[in-house]
């Protein structure tokens, strides 16, 4: 119970916790930032860890000289790329283990082939956009692995998405994170970083389902 309470507090008050960690752990904070981002993107059961808000706060701390931007952003970029690669590999390994029958209640070969074709054709933009969506960025690499999207194509879009996400959000924190208005409304911004992308993703899924036409006999 205490662990859950700490995680909720860490997510909602990440600015205060990161500042405390910087003060208490000094250079070891870089290893911790690497670990948090790697686990959030690389372990499919840990999608609730902060991603966007962490990058934004780290960028703001870099602007005040409490962290080095090149080192922090570089390590978090590596963590994000390796995390997605790990998640993808888990998906490729687990797919055949879980769906081991040709056709059963757990596996539909036709649906699997359709998923594979979707990721080969549209998976690139999905992987890039998912970087900016909490929960989605954890599950999309896993599903791409299960669908057996080619590793070369996945790696390309993984790197592109990682660069846009990590460098983009940390740069936003660096340039805007210490503006007085931003500081005064930081909790609202953190909630926005958590909720808005998720709401947009749900709306997109709902709209796509509404546009589907039922098959006629």
């Amino acid at each position: 119970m205490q662990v859950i309470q700490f995680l909720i507090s860490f997510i909602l008050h990440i600015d205060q916790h990161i500042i405390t960690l910087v003060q208490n752990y000094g250079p070891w904070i870089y290893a911790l930032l690497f670990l948090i981002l790697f686990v959030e993107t690389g372990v499919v059961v840990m999608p609730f860890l902060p991603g966007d808000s962490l990058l934004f706060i780290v960028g703001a701390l870099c602007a005040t000289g409490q962290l080095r931007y090149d080192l922090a952003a570089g390590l978090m970029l590596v963590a994000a790329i390796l995390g997605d690669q790990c998640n993808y590999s888990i998906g490729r390994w687990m797919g055949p283990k879980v769906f081991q029958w040709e056709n059963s209640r757990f596996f539909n070969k036709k649906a699997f082939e359709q998923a594979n074709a979707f990721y080969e054709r549209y998976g690139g933009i999905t992987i890039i956009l998912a970087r900016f969506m909490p929960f989605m960025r954890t599950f999309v690499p896993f599903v791409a692995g299960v669908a057996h999207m080619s590793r070369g194509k996945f790696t390309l879009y993984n790197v592109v998405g990682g660069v846009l996400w990590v460098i983009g959000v940390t740069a936003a924190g660096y340039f805007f994170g210490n503006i007085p208005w931003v500081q005064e409304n930081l909790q609202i911004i953190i909630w926005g970083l958590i909720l808005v992308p998720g709401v947009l993703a749900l709306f997109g899924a709902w709209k796509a389902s509404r546009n589907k036409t039922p098959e006629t006999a």
Side-chain angles (χ1 to χ4, degrees):
M1 194 67 181
Q2 290 182 343
V3 174
I4 296 175
Q5 291 176 345
F6 173 77
L7 285 174
I8 294 174
S9 174
F10 187 79
I11 293 169
L12 298 181
H13 305 285
I14 188 172
D15 54 324
Q16 301 170 17
H17 286 285
I18 292 296
I19 291 174
T20 301
L21 290 171
V22 170
Q23 295 171 346
N24 292 340
Y25 293 98
W28 287 104
I29 185 63
Y30 296 103
L32 184 59
L33 293 175
F34 179 96
L35 181 62
I36 293 173
L37 216 60
F38 177 83
V39 171
E40 195 235 3
T41 57
V43 181
V44 72
V45 296
M46 301 291 282
F48 49 82
L49 290 177
D52 304 289
S53 53
L54 175 68
L55 295 175
F56 189 86
I57 297 301
V58 167
L61 293 177
C62 290
T64 61
Q66 297 181 68
L67 291 171
R68 281 180 51 188
Y69 182 84
D70 57 343
L71 185 56
L75 283 173
M76 291 191 297
L77 175 59
V78 173
I81 293 172
L82 292 181
D84 264 27
Q85 288 294 139
C86 176
N87 220 339
Y88 168 86
S89 297
I90 293 172
R92 281 188 73 102
W93 176 80
M94 285 189 66
K97 302 288 184 182
V98 175
F99 309 121
Q100 51 186 309
W101 298 284
E102 281 292 304
N103 283 290
S104 70
R105 60 182 297 185
F106 299 106
F107 179 68
N108 183 293
K109 187 175 181 180
K110 183 178 179 181
F112 179 84
E113 290 172 346
Q114 289 174 342
N116 184 33
F118 174 84
Y119 269 93
E120 285 296 331
R121 188 171 181 182
Y122 303 110
I125 191 64
T126 303
I127 291 166
I128 292 174
L129 291 178
R131 283 289 192 182
F132 298 87
M133 298 179 181
F135 291 91
M136 287 289 290
R137 63 172 158 263
T138 302
F139 290 115
V140 163
F142 178 81
V143 175
V146 172
H148 278 215
M149 182 182 188
S150 66
R151 185 177 291 274
K153 182 176 287 189
F154 174 81
T155 301
L156 172 63
Y157 291 111
N158 174 24
V159 172
V160 172
V163 169
L164 292 174
W165 181 51
V166 174
I167 304 303
V169 180
T170 52
Y174 186 92
F175 290 110
F176 303 110
N178 293 292
I179 295 174
W181 182 89
V182 174
Q183 288 286 331
E184 293 170 4
N185 297 276
L186 192 56
Q187 291 301 313
I188 297 175
I189 293 172
I190 290 174
W191 272 106
L193 290 171
I194 294 171
L195 296 177
V196 172
V199 171
L200 291 176
L202 289 174
F203 176 76
W206 173 79
K207 189 173 181 181
S209 66
R210 293 267 298 182
N211 289 337
K212 286 183 179 179
T213 55
E215 295 183 359
T216 57

